Amino acid sequence: MATEDNFVHPALFYRTRVEYLDSLLPFIVDGINAGHPVMVAVPGPNLAALRETLGRHAAHVVMTDMTDAGRNPGRILGEVLSGFVVKHPGEPVRIVGEPIWPSRSEVEYPACVQHEALINHAFVGRDVTVVCPYDVAHLHPGVIVDACRTHPVLWRPGFPEQQSASYDPDLVCAHYNQPLGTHSAAVKYTVRSLADLSGARAFAVAYGQWFRLSATRTADLQLITNELATSSLMYAAGPCRLALWQHDGYLVCEARDRGRLDDPLAGRRTYDSDTGRGRALYVVNAIADLTRAYTGADETTIRAYLRLDEVA
């Protein structure tokens, strides 16, 4: 099962809760018995089922509700998975990570697929296995097609493990790297120099208060705006064009510049190991409920979403 550098990334295609448990429990328990660090990051109902079935073994597993920790797919690699791996240098690590479930929205899905594709680059050279379950009974068939492209190994209950004939994570990343058009109702603010940052922060606060965000979420919006604008000024030529708008239950903060973000893992490493611009994106990923990005030959757009369900 292991590749030459011992990194393994299987997709598990399951149809029933029984298939789910029968496939994952041996993987988890074998890791525990071998003394390997094990983390399970899956949606709440699946997490509860695994915890109950593991019984006493659950005490030896880091268990995380992915609907909370991974609500922003851009946060999963740097904060959840890499955050766990770096705590165990030199040790074989086992992870169950389920970032895609049937209620994921259309706006979230491209970020989920890009996350799955980038896992293949994040742990090169490490003895890490990340198993990603997919509920084929309830997910759209196109999701399964993408899973075969982002996972080199496929697990199907009752069948031998197989190599994915369509595996091509870089092609998937390119496919979902689509231009993001600014909303027609967006309110805009241009940051041309560091002297403009105080105005950008005030712009964000005023907009958040207009939509009656809580004080905490208004501060989040202000920090996101500041991080995006500052990193744009530091690492791209020309001004940063900010835009804010409300759409479909989110307050959206967008930053555009004329630079090229050519590091696909920027913001998806641990904070201490990332680049300068990557650290700013890490902060944005950690705060936002969703992050989307587009990078072209001479343009980068970063879009952060905050849910509007927390009001003052």
Side-chain angles (χ1 to χ4, degrees):
M1 181 172 75
T3 60
E4 125 179 322
D5 64 11
N6 292 324
F7 169 67
V8 191
H9 185 208
L12 166 64
F13 297 143
Y14 70 94
R15 291 186 173 276
T16 66
R17 179 61 58 79
V18 171
E19 288 186 349
Y20 188 85
L21 296 174
D22 285 350
S23 299
L24 293 177
L25 287 173
F27 171 77
I28 295 168
V29 174
D30 287 351
I32 294 170
N33 291 338
H36 300 162
V38 180
M39 181 174 73
V40 173
V42 300
N46 289 343
L47 189 71
L50 283 169
R51 181 182 284 114
E52 180 180 2
T53 310
L54 280 167
R56 61 182 177 83
H57 292 294
H60 303 284
V61 180
V62 174
M63 308 196 81
T64 301
D65 187 343
M66 189 67 97
T67 56
D68 179 28
R71 68 183 185 276
N72 179 1
R75 169 199 278 184
I76 300 172
L77 254 181
E79 187 169 339
V80 182
L81 305 190
S82 294
F84 181 70
V85 171
V86 299
K87 293 178 181 177
H88 304 283
E91 297 182 73
V93 174
R94 294 192 178 203
I95 297 173
V96 178
E98 190 169 4
I100 300 176
W101 48 87
S103 60
R104 280 288 202 189
S105 67
E106 289 185 12
V107 72
E108 292 172 330
Y109 180 69
C112 294
V113 183
Q114 288 172 320
H115 156 75
E116 286 281 55
L118 291 170
I119 289 179
N120 299 289
H121 299 296
F123 298 117
V124 171
R126 287 298 310 269
D127 192 349
V128 175
T129 302
V130 183
V131 179
C132 301
Y134 282 79
D135 182 356
V136 297
H138 298 99
L139 291 169
H140 188 277
V143 175
I144 308 308
V145 171
D146 282 337
C148 291
R149 292 171 176 159
T150 55
H151 295 78
V153 180
L154 308 177
W155 291 0
R156 292 182 172 92
F159 293 89
E161 173 185 295
Q162 69 178 96
Q163 302 297 310
S164 175
S166 58
Y167 175 65
D168 194 341
D170 293 337
L171 180 65
V172 170
C173 277
H175 175 74
Y176 286 100
N177 181 40
Q178 298 295 327
L180 301 169
T182 299
H183 196 274
S184 59
V187 178
K188 301 178 182 180
Y189 188 94
T190 300
V191 179
R192 293 182 170 83
S193 70
L194 295 177
D196 294 326
L197 289 175
S198 61
R201 291 190 293 268
F203 168 67
V205 169
Y207 201 80
Q209 291 174 343
W210 186 30
F211 278 96
R212 299 183 63 245
L213 288 186
S214 68
T216 299
R217 289 307 256 174
T218 299
D220 288 342
L221 178 62
Q222 183 183 45
L223 180 56
I224 287 171
T225 302
N226 185 74
E227 291 294 319
L228 290 177
T230 302
S231 66
S232 179
L233 291 175
M234 297 295 291
Y235 299 101
C240 172
R241 292 163 290 160
L242 295 171
L244 293 170
W245 69 91
Q246 182 273 336
H247 179 69
D248 199 22
Y250 289 100
L251 195 155
V252 185
C253 176
E254 178 185 274
R256 292 174 179 262
D257 60 50
R258 303 300 294 177
R260 175 173 172 79
L261 182 61
D262 55 5
D263 178 4
L265 288 173
R268 298 174 188 262
R269 302 178 181 89
T270 58
Y271 182 84
D272 290 340
S273 64
D274 216 331
T275 61
R277 189 165 194 181
R279 290 182 178 185
L281 294 178
Y282 179 97
V283 172
V284 173
N285 282 332
I287 297 172
D289 294 305
L290 174 65
T291 310
R292 296 285 306 279
Y294 166 71
T295 182
D298 58 358
E299 178 185 350
T300 293
T301 303
I302 307 293
R303 186 176 290 178
Y305 296 71
L306 290 174
R307 290 181 182 143
L308 284 170
D309 54 5
E310 185 179 342
V311 298

PDB file of all heavy atoms in Angstrom, residues 61-73:
ATOM      1  N   VAL A  61      -7.226   8.168  20.574  1.00  0.00           N
ATOM      2  CA  VAL A  61      -7.420   8.804  19.269  1.00  0.00           C
ATOM      3  C   VAL A  61      -7.795  10.270  19.477  1.00  0.00           C
ATOM      4  O   VAL A  61      -8.619  10.597  20.330  1.00  0.00           O
ATOM      5  CB  VAL A  61      -8.534   8.096  18.465  1.00  0.00           C
ATOM      6  CG1 VAL A  61      -8.734   8.779  17.103  1.00  0.00           C
ATOM      7  CG2 VAL A  61      -8.210   6.621  18.283  1.00  0.00           C
ATOM      8  N   VAL A  62      -7.178  11.151  18.705  1.00  0.00           N
ATOM      9  CA  VAL A  62      -7.612  12.550  18.676  1.00  0.00           C
ATOM     10  C   VAL A  62      -8.829  12.616  17.764  1.00  0.00           C
ATOM     11  O   VAL A  62      -8.746  12.321  16.574  1.00  0.00           O
ATOM     12  CB  VAL A  62      -6.493  13.474  18.164  1.00  0.00           C
ATOM     13  CG1 VAL A  62      -7.010  14.894  17.993  1.00  0.00           C
ATOM     14  CG2 VAL A  62      -5.304  13.446  19.111  1.00  0.00           C
ATOM     15  N   MET A  63      -9.964  13.010  18.319  1.00  0.00           N
ATOM     16  CA  MET A  63     -11.223  12.978  17.579  1.00  0.00           C
ATOM     17  C   MET A  63     -11.742  14.399  17.400  1.00  0.00           C
ATOM     18  O   MET A  63     -11.897  15.156  18.368  1.00  0.00           O
ATOM     19  CB  MET A  63     -12.235  12.096  18.290  1.00  0.00           C
ATOM     20  CG  MET A  63     -11.696  10.703  18.602  1.00  0.00           C
ATOM     21  SD  MET A  63     -12.953   9.482  19.033  1.00  0.00           S
ATOM     22  CE  MET A  63     -13.534   8.998  17.409  1.00  0.00           C
ATOM     23  N   THR A  64     -12.007  14.765  16.158  1.00  0.00           N
ATOM     24  CA  THR A  64     -12.362  16.138  15.795  1.00  0.00           C
ATOM     25  C   THR A  64     -13.594  16.135  14.904  1.00  0.00           C
ATOM     26  O   THR A  64     -13.668  15.365  13.941  1.00  0.00           O
ATOM     27  CB  THR A  64     -11.199  16.802  15.045  1.00  0.00           C
ATOM     28  OG1 THR A  64     -10.035  16.799  15.874  1.00  0.00           O
ATOM     29  CG2 THR A  64     -11.537  18.220  14.653  1.00  0.00           C
ATOM     30  N   ASP A  65     -14.549  17.001  15.212  1.00  0.00           N
ATOM     31  CA  ASP A  65     -15.737  17.147  14.378  1.00  0.00           C
ATOM     32  C   ASP A  65     -15.376  18.018  13.169  1.00  0.00           C
ATOM     33  O   ASP A  65     -15.143  19.218  13.301  1.00  0.00           O
ATOM     34  CB  ASP A  65     -16.865  17.785  15.182  1.00  0.00           C
ATOM     35  CG  ASP A  65     -18.187  17.812  14.421  1.00  0.00           C
ATOM     36  OD1 ASP A  65     -18.187  17.653  13.184  1.00  0.00           O
ATOM     37  OD2 ASP A  65     -19.225  18.001  15.081  1.00  0.00           O
ATOM     38  N   MET A  66     -15.354  17.408  12.002  1.00  0.00           N
ATOM     39  CA  MET A  66     -14.933  18.123  10.796  1.00  0.00           C
ATOM     40  C   MET A  66     -15.921  19.211  10.393  1.00  0.00           C
ATOM     41  O   MET A  66     -15.528  20.193   9.741  1.00  0.00           O
ATOM     42  CB  MET A  66     -14.733  17.142   9.641  1.00  0.00           C
ATOM     43  CG  MET A  66     -14.102  17.750   8.400  1.00  0.00           C
ATOM     44  SD  MET A  66     -12.387  18.269   8.646  1.00  0.00           S
ATOM     45  CE  MET A  66     -11.515  16.839   8.003  1.00  0.00           C
ATOM     46  N   THR A  67     -17.177  19.083  10.774  1.00  0.00           N
ATOM     47  CA  THR A  67     -18.134  20.135  10.420  1.00  0.00           C
ATOM     48  C   THR A  67     -17.821  21.442  11.134  1.00  0.00           C
ATOM     49  O   THR A  67     -18.241  22.516  10.691  1.00  0.00           O
ATOM     50  CB  THR A  67     -19.580  19.710  10.741  1.00  0.00           C
ATOM     51  OG1 THR A  67     -19.674  19.353  12.121  1.00  0.00           O
ATOM     52  CG2 THR A  67     -19.991  18.524   9.889  1.00  0.00           C
ATOM     53  N   ASP A  68     -17.071  21.362  12.221  1.00  0.00           N
ATOM     54  CA  ASP A  68     -16.622  22.563  12.919  1.00  0.00           C
ATOM     55  C   ASP A  68     -15.198  22.907  12.499  1.00  0.00           C
ATOM     56  O   ASP A  68     -14.945  23.970  11.914  1.00  0.00           O
ATOM     57  CB  ASP A  68     -16.692  22.352  14.428  1.00  0.00           C
ATOM     58  CG  ASP A  68     -16.204  23.570  15.208  1.00  0.00           C
ATOM     59  OD1 ASP A  68     -16.319  24.691  14.680  1.00  0.00           O
ATOM     60  OD2 ASP A  68     -15.718  23.398  16.334  1.00  0.00           O
ATOM     61  N   ALA A  69     -14.255  22.020  12.754  1.00  0.00           N
ATOM     62  CA  ALA A  69     -12.840  22.293  12.466  1.00  0.00           C
ATOM     63  C   ALA A  69     -12.586  22.490  10.984  1.00  0.00           C
ATOM     64  O   ALA A  69     -11.689  23.246  10.592  1.00  0.00           O
ATOM     65  CB  ALA A  69     -11.970  21.151  13.000  1.00  0.00           C
ATOM     66  N   GLY A  70     -13.371  21.839  10.143  1.00  0.00           N
ATOM     67  CA  GLY A  70     -13.152  21.910   8.702  1.00  0.00           C
ATOM     68  C   GLY A  70     -14.259  22.618   7.959  1.00  0.00           C
ATOM     69  O   GLY A  70     -14.422  22.415   6.746  1.00  0.00           O
ATOM     70  N   ARG A  71     -15.033  23.473   8.676  1.00  0.00           N
ATOM     71  CA  ARG A  71     -16.108  24.178   7.972  1.00  0.00           C
ATOM     72  C   ARG A  71     -15.527  25.009   6.830  1.00  0.00           C
ATOM     73  O   ARG A  71     -16.143  25.165   5.783  1.00  0.00           O
ATOM     74  CB  ARG A  71     -16.908  25.052   8.932  1.00  0.00           C
ATOM     75  CG  ARG A  71     -16.162  26.244   9.496  1.00  0.00           C
ATOM     76  CD  ARG A  71     -17.018  27.013  10.502  1.00  0.00           C
ATOM     77  NE  ARG A  71     -16.367  28.218  10.976  1.00  0.00           N
ATOM     78  CZ  ARG A  71     -15.486  28.251  11.965  1.00  0.00           C
ATOM     79  NH1 ARG A  71     -15.139  27.119  12.568  1.00  0.00           N
ATOM     80  NH2 ARG A  71     -14.933  29.388  12.345  1.00  0.00           N
ATOM     81  N   ASN A  72     -14.333  25.567   7.025  1.00  0.00           N
ATOM     82  CA  ASN A  72     -13.585  26.199   5.942  1.00  0.00           C
ATOM     83  C   ASN A  72     -12.578  25.179   5.430  1.00  0.00           C
ATOM     84  O   ASN A  72     -11.600  24.871   6.120  1.00  0.00           O
ATOM     85  CB  ASN A  72     -12.863  27.442   6.438  1.00  0.00           C
ATOM     86  CG  ASN A  72     -12.053  28.124   5.338  1.00  0.00           C
ATOM     87  OD1 ASN A  72     -12.037  27.678   4.190  1.00  0.00           O
ATOM     88  ND2 ASN A  72     -11.375  29.196   5.693  1.00  0.00           N
ATOM     89  N   PRO A  73     -12.769  24.634   4.222  1.00  0.00           N
ATOM     90  CA  PRO A  73     -11.827  23.636   3.712  1.00  0.00           C
ATOM     91  C   PRO A  73     -10.388  24.144   3.662  1.00  0.00           C
ATOM     92  O   PRO A  73      -9.446  23.353   3.777  1.00  0.00           O
ATOM     93  CB  PRO A  73     -12.364  23.335   2.302  1.00  0.00           C
ATOM     94  CG  PRO A  73     -13.810  23.681   2.373  1.00  0.00           C
ATOM     95  CD  PRO A  73     -13.907  24.852   3.302  1.00  0.00           C
TER      96      PRO A  73
END
